[in-house]
Amino acid sequence: MSLFIQQLLNGLTIGMVYALIALGYTMVYGVIQLINFAHGDVFMVGAYLALTLIWAFAAVVTGAPFWVVLTALLLFGMAGCAVLGALIERVAYKPLRASPRLAALITSIGVSFFLQNAVMLIYGSKDQSVPEIIPHVRFEFHGVSFSLTQCVIFLTSIALMVFLTWFIQKTKLGKAMRACAENFEAANLMGISADRIIRVTFVMGSALAAVAGGLFGVYYGSINFHDGYLAGLKAFTAAVFGGIGSIPGAMVGGVLLGVLEGLGAAYLSSEWKDVFAFVILIAILLFKPSGILGENLPEKV
Amino acid sequence: MRVSDFFKRLFRRHPFSCQVALFLLPFSLFPLIDKNVYHIDLMTSIGIYVLLAMGLNVVVGFAGLLNLGYAAFFAIGAYAYALLNLHAGCPFWLGLPAAGIVSMIFGLVIGAPSIRIRGDYLAITTLGFGEIVRIAFNNLDEWTGGPNGLLGIARPKIWVPRFEGGFHWETFSFSVNPTPYFYLVLGLVMFAAYLLFRMSDSKIGRALVAIREDELAASCMGVPVLKIKLTAFGLSAFIAGMAGAVFASKQTIVTPDSFDFVLSVLILAMVVLGGMGNIWGAALGALILGALPELLREFANYRMLLFGVMMVLMMIFRPQGILGSQLIRREMRTEKSE
């Protein structure tokens, strides 16, 4: 029983990270129906930016409390990735707005390759170890242990999700985003600037991915330029799982995928861990492409 | 005058054979001109890329379905030949079509359910399938040797007639020398190119283009959409499987990490660069991207970076590729995404 709860907790933790990345996929897909293949790599860039800030902190100040470093690294990653996201949208996707999906998808694969190899050239191809910034505190309860890092991941992710839900539901910009997702042309006719909404979507998605990247690096203690590919694919699975285009769906999908993966690794086989995500992905795409919370969208004629 | 008439008529009668002969036969002189073993070996590898690019072009170019797990079919072909050879002693010439057929069966099994789903979802499904295949080859240690792969795969043998001391057949085994492989690959490329030209000019080819342009309209006109798409998928997997068998016999070793996602994207980049839907375009793309790392040795580290940039730029400025048709250009420019 304690193994089960332990795996559930570990799965929930990584599920939160998947959910944060999945939000970016689902928001972009909701607005422009593009599978932004480069999103996983934005996440990876976020992790590297966080690492860079940890190095910078270590060089300049010593003995800063951990939450200061953590906040700084998350904000730094968010700012960097927000700019990157806007830049990618402007350079790579904007000229292709009127092209078929295939063209934009191929472009996003190109961007993904570019980011991966740019990071590899700058930081090297070896795993980079992330210094431990959160004190090693573990809470033990009936043989189930829960670290402070996991606690931080939970609180940060939940706070961001609450913020995002509020933003989408209540603010004017959020309403405009929903309008664009509902009917792009009609929203344009109502005076909503499509370019602006698309830019905001990319900026917010990338900032969320950056937070996920920072937390991922801190949690695992090591990052590699390849990490974005697998994490991105799993987050995409999570987005599809929950119903692509649906924001609560991405959150639920991410957490569920993390839990399923954690339990699968513990009870079935850890070697095949990565296969679970892909099998789930294919199964959902084949049998229920609308996901758990997504609406059923028929192919438009 | 009469000679030119003869050629004109020949070309009109057999346009595809003539094109294949005209563009590919000159390559048979390559080993005679350039005696550098390394260069011949490189050209052989490029030939395998050409095969793969032509095969992927059937699905991506003709049918407009993005397959991001194409390396998996290449891997299945390579492993199929390796296993048949190591366990059943299957000779290369039997293993070559067998690998193609095994790969085709996998293509049909994967394709049958997934081809119904929308274009961009299909891309992700094939990607997932590609990863599953690679991880499976990595983890099924008992059969595939795990990460170490399979060793000691037999090279092809051919029988040469000899007349000295009475007529008899002499076996000639392929060795490390790449020249025989070069001719083997060249022959396969010629075969595949001819096959694909015939296919693109047939009912299937026209149906594929119709589906790519407007699936709904095509199905209303009575094109059996699923059947045609599946045919394209199977044919494409068949070519990759044969390329895999050649690869396995040339390397005499197969390991799972030769078939990762990067290879799938590399082949896709070749098709995109050369021109989607154009058979010579795919071949040209493979030739350029295969030879580029050799020509730009000092930029070796920037290779993948440049591929990424190239894919973005091609899609923005020349979506039809170097040799792409006007048809594809118009489709890629004006078709409004839903």
Side-chain angles (χ1 to χ4, degrees):
Chain A
M1 194 59 200
S2 65
L3 174 71
F4 178 78
I5 295 176
Q6 183 68 61
Q7 286 304 325
L8 199 69
L9 277 176
N10 294 350
L12 274 174
T13 315
I14 192 69
M16 288 288 176
V17 174
Y18 290 158
L20 285 180
I21 313 171
L23 283 169
Y25 276 110
T26 223
M27 281 160 69
V28 167
Y29 194 90
V31 176
I32 54 171
Q33 279 82 45
L34 162 72
I35 297 175
N36 180 11
F37 216 87
H39 191 61
D41 300 291
V42 173
F43 153 84
M44 177 268 302
V45 171
Y48 271 93
L49 285 178
L51 175 67
T52 313
L53 193 97
I54 296 177
W55 285 343
F57 241 94
V60 179
V61 272
T62 43
F66 84 88
W67 53 269
V68 174
V69 186
L70 191 73
T71 318
L73 77 85
L74 292 183
L75 287 177
F76 181 66
M78 281 168 93
C81 284
V83 173
L84 180 68
L87 206 67
I88 291 172
E89 194 275 323
R90 178 67 195 79
V91 174
Y93 301 143
K94 202 175 170 194
L96 290 171
R97 207 110 352 116
S99 309
R101 285 176 182 169
L102 187 68
L105 191 59
I106 292 174
T107 308
S108 71
I109 295 171
V111 174
S112 160
F113 256 58
F114 174 81
L115 288 180
Q116 268 185 36
N117 287 284
V119 168
M120 189 195 79
L121 289 174
I122 297 168
Y123 290 90
S125 57
K126 288 200 203 91
D127 283 9
Q128 292 279 0
S129 70
V130 180
E132 212 169 76
I133 53 159
I134 301 179
H136 203 75
V137 183
R138 296 194 81 87
F139 311 104
E140 294 276 346
F141 185 77
H142 287 296
V144 177
S145 99
F146 193 61
S147 70
L148 186 61
T149 314
Q150 284 176 309
C151 206
V152 166
I153 292 177
F154 269 100
L155 292 178
T156 319
S157 313
I158 289 171
L160 278 171
M161 288 177 198
V162 169
F163 169 77
L164 187 73
T165 311
W166 169 80
F167 179 86
I168 296 286
Q169 295 298 332
K170 299 289 176 203
T171 64
K172 211 171 167 184
L173 213 51
K175 276 181 193 157
M177 275 168 80
R178 278 188 291 144
C180 278
E182 191 74 36
N183 188 332
F184 202 79
E185 273 92 35
N188 274 332
L189 292 175
M190 294 300 126
I192 295 171
S193 158
D195 282 342
R196 180 151 166 265
I197 294 303
I198 293 172
R199 207 180 313 126
V200 169
T201 311
F202 270 89
V203 163
M204 291 193 64
S206 305
L208 289 172
V211 174
L215 295 174
F216 178 88
V218 169
Y219 185 51
Y220 281 109
S222 125
I223 50 177
N224 186 285
F225 73 100
H226 265 310
D227 286 343
Y229 165 62
L230 200 60
L233 217 61
K234 286 183 181 170
F236 177 76
T237 306
V240 171
F241 200 1
I244 195 144
S246 148
I247 286 177
M251 300 175 188
V252 173
V255 171
L256 268 180
L257 182 72
V259 168
L260 280 177
E261 210 182 74
L263 295 179
Y267 289 101
L268 295 171
S269 151
S270 62
E271 266 190 333
W272 295 88
K273 195 181 98 179
D274 294 334
V275 171
F276 297 145
F278 298 123
V279 171
I280 292 175
L281 174 68
I282 293 177
I284 290 185
L285 286 178
L286 292 184
F287 299 113
K288 197 174 180 337
S290 56
I292 303 173
L293 297 178
E295 334 164 34
N296 218 337
L297 289 174
E299 187 103 26
K300 282 176 201 159
V301 179
Chain B
M1 201 59 200
R2 216 179 278 159
V3 176
S4 74
D5 271 355
F6 169 75
F7 277 114
K8 262 185 201 159
R9 211 172 329 134
L10 187 72
F11 200 85
R12 210 170 298 139
R13 284 254 179 89
H14 306 282
F16 304 133
S17 326
C18 287
Q19 269 194 57
V20 169
L22 193 67
F23 287 117
L24 290 177
L25 269 186
F27 279 98
S28 62
L29 300 174
F30 184 83
L32 305 176
I33 297 165
D34 192 342
K35 300 249 187 261
N36 188 334
V37 176
Y38 177 72
H39 288 167
I40 299 172
D41 191 59
L42 179 74
M43 283 305 280
T44 314
S45 306
I46 291 177
I48 294 177
Y49 281 138
V50 171
L51 271 179
L52 290 171
M54 282 179 169
L56 183 65
N57 183 39
V58 176
V59 170
V60 176
F62 289 138
L65 306 167
L66 193 50
N67 183 346
L68 289 179
Y70 197 58
F73 297 112
F74 185 46
I76 289 171
Y79 271 91
Y81 170 59
L83 290 171
L84 279 172
N85 179 262
L86 294 174
H87 293 295
C90 171
F92 177 78
W93 301 109
L94 202 63
L96 182 68
I101 289 167
V102 170
S103 175
M104 185 173 76
I105 291 170
F106 270 90
L108 295 178
V109 167
I110 303 307
S114 52
I115 236 151
R116 286 158 218 274
I117 55 184
R118 279 216 316 265
D120 43 359
Y121 278 14
L122 177 74
I124 301 293
T125 312
T126 49
L127 196 165
F129 164 69
E131 282 299 298
I132 291 175
V133 166
R134 193 177 57 81
I135 297 172
F137 282 141
N138 209 19
N139 287 353
L140 294 170
D141 298 38
E142 286 165 54
W143 296 296
T144 64
N148 298 327
L150 293 166
L151 300 151
I153 302 159
R155 294 174 185 278
K157 280 194 184 83
I158 50 172
W159 293 269
V160 193
R162 287 278 161 167
F163 301 99
E164 297 133 32
F167 178 81
H168 64 285
W169 296 94
E170 197 177 73
T171 38
F172 167 77
S173 252
F174 282 37
S175 60
V176 192
N177 179 12
T179 314
Y181 282 108
F182 177 84
Y183 286 110
L184 170 68
V185 172
L186 184 64
L188 279 176
V189 168
M190 290 175 78
F191 166 71
Y194 183 71
L195 188 80
L196 291 176
F197 268 117
R198 291 304 296 258
M199 190 218 66
S200 70
D201 194 44
S202 73
K203 214 168 133 185
I204 301 173
R206 290 170 217 273
L208 278 173
V209 174
I211 291 170
R212 184 188 68 207
E213 292 209 335
D214 193 330
E215 194 173 325
L216 194 73
S219 78
C220 290
M221 292 296 151
V223 174
V225 172
L226 288 181
K227 217 167 100 189
I228 295 288
K229 277 186 178 176
L230 210 55
T231 311
F233 227 73
L235 179 64
S236 153
F238 180 77
I239 294 175
M242 293 216 299
V246 176
F247 177 78
S249 81
K250 179 170 171 288
Q251 304 288 319
T252 70
I253 169 173
V254 285
T255 55
D257 44 298
S258 329
F259 310 103
D260 56 358
F261 178 61
V262 176
L263 180 66
S264 294
V265 173
L266 182 62
I267 303 164
L268 178 68
M270 291 167 178
V271 176
V272 169
L273 177 70
M276 288 191 277
N278 185 314
I279 295 165
W280 292 127
L284 181 70
L287 189 67
I288 294 175
L289 288 190
L292 210 59
E294 285 310 307
L295 303 176
L296 303 171
R297 270 284 179 72
E298 55 271 41
F299 300 109
N301 291 332
Y302 296 90
R303 190 167 77 117
M304 287 297 170
L305 193 84
L306 289 177
F307 282 177
V309 174
M310 183 214 82
M311 283 167 83
V312 175
L313 293 181
M314 285 306 276
M315 278 298 122
I316 295 175
F317 296 109
R318 202 175 160 80
Q320 75 273 33
I322 298 176
L323 292 182
S325 63
Q326 282 296 308
L327 196 66
I328 295 254
R329 193 186 70 87
R330 250 179 295 141
E331 279 173 41
M332 296 299 264
R333 279 278 159 78
T334 54
E335 186 187 306
K336 181 91 184 137
S337 64
E338 314 129 44

